[in-house]
Amino acid sequence: MDAAVSPLPDDIEVLKALVRLSTQRADAAEQRATSAEAELANARARESATEALISHYKLQIAKLRREQYGPSAERTRRLLAQMEFELEDLEADAAEDDLAAETAATKATNVTAFERKRPVRKPFPDHLPRDRVVVPAPCSCPACGGMRLSKLGEDVTETLEVIPRTWKVIQTVREKFSCRDCEKITQPPAPFHVVPRGWAGPSFLAMLLFEKYGQHQPLNRQAERFTREGVPLSVSTLADQVGAASFALMPIFRLIEAYVFAAERVHGDDTTVPVMAKGKTDTGRLWDYVRDDRPFGGADPPAVVFYYSRDRRGEHPQAHLASWSGILQADAYAGYFELYAPDRQPGLILEAGCFAHARRKFFELADVEGAARKKSRGERTGPIYPIALEAVQKLDALFDVERGINGKTPAERLATRQELSAPLIAELHDWLNAQLAKLSRNHDLAKAINYMLRRWDAFTRFLIDGRVCLTNNAAERALRCVPLGRKAWLFCGSDRGGQRAA
């Protein structure tokens, strides 16, 4: 048998060199792959951050335009809400991609992770309780093992935490005692319950009503959530508490009602609310009346009172304001007209027009951007009228004056209006009459112009009373909760349900 051939020393060195070379090449290839992954993660994070930033700027621009031009249609409010939802998802995507880029960069030696500019977070509110958790300090120096340590300071990191909702049953014990002398039984009186024989505490009732009417969560959804938390309650049981609590809150409602109508100037408006009927859905109405003295420097807090009706007949606002007199800021709804009768009892109600409604009619005829959007979607667009655009600019000059006097006293507001707004109003009146003479009677611009000219006394009332606002936006803002909730609760189950919602 032949003996095994042993490799020469030179051959061994060559083999070692080949192994080292192949290992280096493999490491280099792995490093290139890791670097490529890190670069790709960085690019993805950078793109997500850019999209989130662009969406944020778009939302800010849309909100600024809304503030500048006043409230627009409900569709615009829905678009703003949709933009906020999109921004929420984009911010979440950017945070996720940012963490992925940072993780990928830790595996690469020559790639720096992309750092996204995060929104500045406000400090946590001071009223929140603080639990101080001190990390135990070392007993000896990690470097030399010395025992002589002295405190130089501390770094505090605040983390926001929440304790999940806790359910509990409160047992109120009333002990009975018998008298050894007269043998009569004595027991403390039963505690007060918001609802007679009620099993629900006041905090639970407040949460139930706020979730239903403030957060727009129907009772069936609340019941499902309670069940998941280990407290099964039927919808009928919850509905029983809602009805009883509404009855218990009526004295507070009457106090708010009296407070609102103690003002000498109120805003009024209404909006639709679907109501279940036999085999169909009717359109009911929620009316609101707002007391807000802040625009003319009033110290009284604002308040709003709501009413419900099955239809929009004028008898409803006439009944709401039957015992009130003062200045009513509202739109040109015909149901208000009988309130403005000169011989009205118990007192005169003066109409104050809303320039936001008047401006909106011209703005719809001069909305260049809106027409461009419709055209891009292939929808039919109306013509853009230069007269409408000029009317918007003239009305905007009045709004500019109002921004400078918001919050000042009625006397200061009136003096500024007489100096700056009165000439603008006189010029606007002459210009509207001149343009009306050039238009046909049924033209959309003629209708927008007549909307103002036929109510000129109401539109110029702000020139003789410093308390009057230029718009009825206060009432419209108070009604925004209703369109917001319609998506969740869809309709009221009955007229009584609409009254409870109000």
Side-chain angles (χ1 to χ4, degrees):
M1 184 181 294
D2 296 336
V5 179
S6 301
L8 297 175
D10 291 341
D11 295 336
I12 294 176
E13 295 299 327
V14 171
L15 289 174
K16 290 181 178 180
L18 289 175
V19 171
R20 285 196 300 269
L21 180 60
S22 62
T23 303
Q24 291 174 359
R25 287 180 176 176
D27 291 342
E30 183 180 356
Q31 181 63 37
R32 285 195 298 271
T34 305
S35 299
E37 292 177 0
E39 292 289 356
L40 181 61
N42 271 345
R44 188 180 297 111
R46 191 177 295 107
E47 181 180 0
S48 298
T50 302
E51 290 178 355
L53 186 62
I54 292 174
S55 180
H56 173 73
Y57 286 149
K58 285 182 177 179
L59 180 60
Q60 292 299 318
I61 291 172
K63 287 184 176 180
L64 289 173
R65 285 178 175 171
R66 181 179 174 83
E67 292 177 0
Q68 180 179 359
Y69 299 120
S72 56
E74 182 179 333
R75 177 177 176 274
T76 304
R77 292 195 289 270
R78 291 199 301 268
L79 289 176
L80 281 177
Q82 186 63 36
M83 291 176 68
E84 290 178 342
F85 291 146
E86 292 175 359
L87 175 61
E88 176 184 328
D89 286 338
L90 288 172
E91 289 283 4
D93 294 343
E96 184 178 352
D97 293 338
D98 193 18
L99 290 176
E102 184 177 348
T103 303
T106 58
K107 301 177 182 179
T109 58
N110 58 350
V111 178
T112 304
F114 167 74
E115 294 185 3
R116 180 171 65 98
K117 184 179 179 182
R118 293 176 173 82
V120 179
R121 179 182 59 80
K122 295 181 180 179
F124 296 131
D126 294 335
H127 66 83
L128 293 179
R130 261 69 173 175
D131 290 344
R132 185 177 173 87
V133 179
V134 181
V135 179
C139 299
S140 61
C141 177
C144 68
M147 307 294 291
R148 301 173 60 190
L149 299 178
S150 61
K151 182 177 178 178
L152 297 179
E154 62 183 20
D155 293 331
V156 179
T157 302
E158 290 192 338
T159 304
L160 186 63
E161 189 54 277
V162 61
I163 300 175
R165 182 163 57 194
T166 303
W167 295 83
K168 63 180 179 180
V169 177
I170 299 177
Q171 295 181 334
T172 303
V173 179
R174 297 185 295 137
E175 295 178 329
K176 294 181 179 180
F177 294 90
S178 64
C179 179
R180 295 290 180 90
D181 296 330
C182 64
E183 297 184 354
K184 287 189 176 181
I185 298 176
T186 303
Q187 186 181 29
F192 169 78
H193 290 285
V194 178
V195 178
R197 302 175 302 280
W199 52 265
S203 296
F204 175 80
L205 290 174
M207 178 195 70
L208 184 68
L209 293 178
F210 176 71
E211 290 288 329
K212 178 174 173 60
Y213 297 111
Q215 297 296 96
H216 317 296
Q217 292 295 314
L219 293 182
N220 62 319
R221 297 183 186 176
Q222 294 191 57
E224 292 172 359
R225 189 170 73 251
F226 297 161
T227 301
R228 287 194 295 268
E229 295 174 0
V231 185
L233 295 170
S234 67
V235 175
S236 60
T237 300
L238 297 178
D240 181 64
Q241 297 303 304
V242 169
S246 299
F247 176 80
L249 287 172
M250 282 307 295
I252 296 180
F253 171 79
R254 295 303 178 193
L255 289 174
I256 296 175
E257 181 184 47
Y259 174 78
V260 169
F261 291 123
E264 297 179 352
R265 181 190 66 92
V266 298
H267 297 264
D269 202 358
D270 66 287
T271 191
T272 60
V273 52
V275 185
M276 282 292 292
K278 292 183 178 180
K280 61 177 182 177
T281 302
D282 288 342
T283 301
R285 288 278 165 174
L286 274 181
W287 309 78
D288 75 326
Y289 299 94
V290 179
R291 173 180 181 174
D292 190 355
D293 300 340
R294 293 174 296 180
F296 57 85
D300 295 327
V304 56
V305 62
F306 287 89
Y307 297 100
Y308 165 84
S309 67
R310 189 58 178 252
D311 50 52
R312 206 193 182 199
R313 294 201 299 266
E315 63 189 45
H316 301 299
Q318 294 164 19
H320 303 156
L321 304 172
S323 59
W324 181 80
S325 62
I327 300 173
L328 176 62
Q329 300 226 222
D331 56 22
Y333 168 53
Y336 294 131
F337 290 169
E338 289 192 21
L339 296 171
Y340 306 138
D343 56 348
R344 177 184 179 272
Q345 296 296 328
L348 184 64
I349 292 182
L350 299 175
E351 178 187 8
C354 175
F355 277 86
H357 279 81
R359 182 188 180 281
R360 198 172 302 159
K361 296 181 180 299
F362 290 107
F363 183 79
E364 292 172 354
L365 300 175
D367 188 3
V368 179
E369 294 183 2
R373 286 193 298 269
K374 290 183 179 180
K375 187 175 181 180
S376 65
R377 297 193 296 264
E379 299 178 5
R380 182 180 178 183
T381 61
I384 303 300
Y385 298 104
I387 295 177
L389 184 59
E390 188 174 354
V392 170
Q393 294 172 347
K394 290 181 178 296
L395 292 172
D396 285 347
L398 292 171
F399 283 96
D400 290 338
V401 176
E402 288 299 307
R403 292 188 187 96
I405 61 176
N406 189 36
K408 295 186 177 180
T409 64
E412 293 173 326
R413 287 158 62 91
L414 187 58
T416 304
R417 287 170 173 174
Q418 288 293 331
E419 178 184 358
L420 301 178
S421 299
L424 297 175
I425 283 291
E427 178 186 352
L428 177 64
H429 186 263
D430 295 339
W431 182 84
L432 289 175
N433 280 303
Q435 302 305 318
L436 183 62
K438 304 175 184 178
L439 300 170
S440 64
R441 183 175 57 183
N442 295 324
H443 197 283
D444 290 338
L445 275 173
K447 295 177 182 178
I449 292 175
N450 281 324
Y451 179 85
M452 293 193 68
L453 292 179
R454 291 172 180 172
R455 304 168 181 84
W456 196 249
D457 290 341
F459 278 105
T460 57
R461 196 168 304 281
F462 78 106
L463 294 177
I464 58 177
D465 194 325
R467 299 170 299 174
V468 177
C469 289
L470 208 62
T471 69
N472 192 36
N473 289 349
E476 294 193 0
R477 286 193 298 267
L479 282 175
R480 285 180 185 174
C481 60
V482 180
L484 180 65
R486 278 199 296 254
K487 289 287 185 179
W489 42 260
L490 301 179
F491 49 78
C492 294
S494 63
D495 290 339
R496 292 288 302 277
Q499 293 166 6
R500 277 192 299 271

